[in-house]
Amino acid sequence: MTEQQGTRPHAAAKPARWAADTVATMREGARIRLDYSAQSLWRVDRMIEDIRREGPPFAAVESVLRGFGAYAGEVIVRQTGAEWWATGGDHWIRTPDGRLWDPVEEARRCFGGQGSLRLLCRDATAAG
């Protein structure tokens, strides 16, 4: 699907910015290219695992995890035509089949050793 920036819902503004910032930071700081493909989420899962192994407190990596989750959400949006939804400061993805996904929370789960952004994307892009 092609995307027209002018028609994106307001709820997409923050997560789209977080995702773009994450792409730029990874490219410039870590020399890792994220291209909004489902395959790139393998790298993101590994980066979160590496961070987790270093043992930083959650508060120190919360914004990084938010960026990784927003990036995964943008991958899903671009692959399925999903839309961002915002409620009470939380940002969710609603796929065209009506299912709701929380990629930012999934990034937090990854940090806790319980989740996978790659698998979230696989499930969200599968026919519902």
Side-chain angles (χ1 to χ4, degrees):
M1 294 199 96
T2 59
E3 165 187 308
Q4 296 178 2
Q5 290 290 56
T7 62
R8 295 214 45 200
H10 178 69
K14 282 185 180 180
R17 175 82 264 154
W18 297 332
D21 289 347
T22 297
V23 169
T25 299
M26 292 297 101
R27 182 183 62 242
E28 295 165 14
R31 304 264 188 244
I32 295 172
R33 184 173 173 270
L34 298 177
D35 61 3
Y36 293 98
S37 68
Q39 294 80 12
S40 69
L41 294 175
W42 283 87
R43 270 182 251 128
V44 174
D45 277 348
R46 284 196 310 267
M47 285 186 278
I48 294 172
E49 174 63 23
D50 290 345
I51 293 168
R52 184 173 70 80
R53 273 192 252 126
E54 292 173 11
F58 176 77
V61 297
E62 186 172 9
S63 66
V64 171
L65 296 173
R66 182 187 67 192
F68 284 144
Y71 173 76
E74 278 294 298
V75 170
I76 295 166
V77 164
R78 292 173 185 215
Q79 296 221 348
T80 67
E83 292 183 336
W84 283 101
W85 289 70
T87 56
D90 292 329
H91 292 82
W92 299 72
I93 295 287
R94 183 169 186 216
T95 49
D97 60 12
R99 295 180 295 167
L100 294 173
W101 307 88
D102 189 346
V104 174
E105 180 60 28
E106 189 67 13
R108 294 179 188 127
R109 288 175 34 81
C110 290
F111 180 70
Q114 304 288 324
S116 168
L117 294 172
R118 175 184 58 84
L119 295 179
L120 177 81
C121 180
R122 182 198 67 191
D123 293 346
T125 58

